[in-house]
Amino acid sequence: MNKESIHKTFSIAMAFLVLLSTISFTMEKHYCGDTLIDVAIFSKVDSCCDMDATAITAVEKKSCCKEEIAVVKGQDNLKKATFDDLSFDQQVFLTTLYYSYLNLFEGLPEQVIPHKGYSPPNLVTDIQVLDQVFII
């Protein structure tokens, strides 16, 4: 493998590592007794218990259903820098770099061709034959 392909592979792997380290999600599990009924990631679990009956009988008896919620928190202390956080030298450098890069892609002005409307004179004699100058 050459150096360029290794560099691209490493760059893509690092980008995915940053993406995966900043994702947060919640995993919910619903149990009825000791039996796992439903597992949901990014959504609510389906309950096997009747909610109205559970609300009414909550005072009278304990429900057999239980839910476990596991929250996986992603990294959220990433450094967010603005242009004003840079030093003056860095701001000048970035501004000139941006300006010079922007001017790279400007279109060229229309070139002026001075002899565009000029027609050559009529030849009376062949100058090369007259002066006996021939290309060999």
Side-chain angles (χ1 to χ4, degrees), residues 7 11 20 28 31 39-40 45 58 63 71 81 84 86 88 95 97 106 120 124 135:
H7 179 69
S11 298
L20 292 176
E28 297 184 23
Y31 291 96
V39 176
V45 292
S63 175
V71 178
D84 296 330
L86 299 174
F88 179 72
T95 305
L97 180 70
E106 284 184 2
V124 179
I135 299 177

Side-chain angles (χ1 to χ4, degrees), residues 49-115:
C49 301
D50 192 21
M51 288 298 169
D52 295 331
T54 306
I56 294 170
T57 61
V59 176
E60 298 171 10
K61 67 175 188 171
K62 256 186 158 176
S63 175
C64 66
C65 298
K66 71 175 185 178
E67 293 186 10
E68 288 183 6
I69 299 174
V71 178
V72 178
K73 300 277 295 179
Q75 178 183 7
D76 61 346
N77 58 354
L78 297 175
K79 183 179 179 184
K80 298 174 186 172
T82 62
F83 188 73
D84 296 330
D85 294 339
L86 299 174
S87 69
F88 179 72
D89 293 335
Q90 292 172 337
Q91 288 179 357
V92 169
F93 175 74
L94 287 176
T95 305
T96 54
L97 180 70
Y98 175 74
Y99 182 74
S100 63
Y101 183 76
L102 186 66
N103 287 335
L104 277 176
F105 300 107
E106 284 184 2
L108 295 174
E110 187 175 327
Q111 293 182 348
V112 178
I113 302 172
H115 57 279

Side-chain angles (χ1 to χ4, degrees), residues 20 22-28 40-42 69-74:
L20 292 176
T22 57
I23 291 178
S24 300
F25 64 92
T26 304
M27 184 172 66
E28 297 184 23
I41 300 175
F42 302 118
I69 299 174
V71 178
V72 178
K73 300 277 295 179

